[in-house]
Amino acid sequence: MKKIYSLSFKIPIIISAIIFVTISLLASISIWSSSRAIRKAALEGFFSTVSGYSHMIDMVLHEQLLAIGTYSQSGVVLNSVIRSDDEVSKNVAIKRLKDFGNVNNHIINIGVADIDGNIILDAYNNELEGNSIASVHPELFARIKANNYDYTYDNGISISSTTGGNALLLCGGLKNDT
């Protein structure tokens, strides 16, 4: 028992306790600081990835709007709308629409509707002819009409009538300079 009360025992124990507390405190601070830095880096990386994908999707949508702007100026398609009773014009226009679809990997379906939103040509699903975009996508159709039939896309993803998969509807008016 005398050894416990002696200075030769107490001093090493006190020094060891101080070192142990200091090491424990430094380890706790290091772990807390590291986990905070890792969490921050992960969140910044996630935000950067999401931002990159967001810009990529915006770019693809912009390119698709430019593409439908180009498609809408096709003389063959315009001719089929002007001569809607001519079966030859209709078949040529459907072939042209399919050609547009074959060179554009993002197209699920492509068609033409009249000014009231009634589908008059459909390249991939002729069962859609006669249906109305205005009744299926009323918000989109109202926005297109309000914007003088300028090119736009729907605010939400819907189920494709052609494939049954997810789809985003892009629409715009046919353009004829004359």
Side-chain angles (χ1 to χ4, degrees), residues 44-58:
E44 286 176 359
F46 180 68
F47 177 76
S48 177
T49 301
V50 168
S51 178
Y53 278 116
S54 170
H55 290 308
M56 183 184 71
I57 290 170
D58 286 344

Side-chain angles (χ1 to χ4, degrees), residues 6-172:
S6 72
L7 282 178
S8 64
F9 181 78
K10 286 183 180 179
I11 291 179
I13 291 295
I14 291 172
I15 291 174
S16 296
I18 291 172
I19 291 172
F20 177 76
V21 169
T22 304
I23 289 173
S24 298
L25 185 64
L26 288 174
S28 297
I29 290 172
S30 294
I31 290 170
W32 176 78
S33 177
S34 298
S35 67
R36 196 167 159 224
I38 289 170
R39 186 177 314 118
K40 182 180 176 186
L43 289 175
E44 286 176 359
F46 180 68
F47 177 76
S48 177
T49 301
V50 168
S51 178
Y53 278 116
S54 170
H55 290 308
M56 183 184 71
I57 290 170
D58 286 344
M59 182 187 69
V60 168
L61 288 175
H62 179 71
E63 287 176 356
Q64 291 306 305
L65 289 175
L66 292 174
I68 66 168
T70 302
Y71 303 156
S72 71
Q73 295 176 6
S74 168
V76 172
V77 175
L78 288 170
N79 191 33
S80 71
V81 173
I82 294 169
R83 299 180 186 173
S84 59
D85 295 335
D86 184 10
E87 201 63 34
V88 173
S89 295
K90 179 180 176 180
N91 290 334
V92 170
I94 288 174
K95 182 184 178 322
R96 178 62 53 91
L97 292 174
K98 284 182 180 179
D99 291 342
F100 290 149
N102 289 336
V103 297
N104 188 335
N105 295 332
H106 298 289
I107 290 179
I108 295 173
N109 194 356
I110 186 168
V112 176
D114 65 12
I115 195 115
D116 297 320
N118 299 314
I119 299 172
I120 56 176
L121 292 175
D122 195 285
Y124 295 104
N125 188 356
N126 59 3
E127 293 176 8
L128 295 177
E129 291 179 15
N131 291 336
S132 174
I133 294 173
S135 63
V136 177
H137 298 276
E139 182 183 314
L140 174 65
F141 192 71
R143 192 169 60 236
I144 289 172
K145 283 180 78 169
N147 291 332
N148 197 25
Y149 296 93
D150 200 14
Y151 309 108
T152 190
Y153 47 87
D154 207 353
N155 286 334
I157 294 175
S158 59
I159 302 299
S160 169
S161 301
T162 303
T163 64
N166 291 332
L168 182 65
L169 188 64
L170 281 76
C171 294

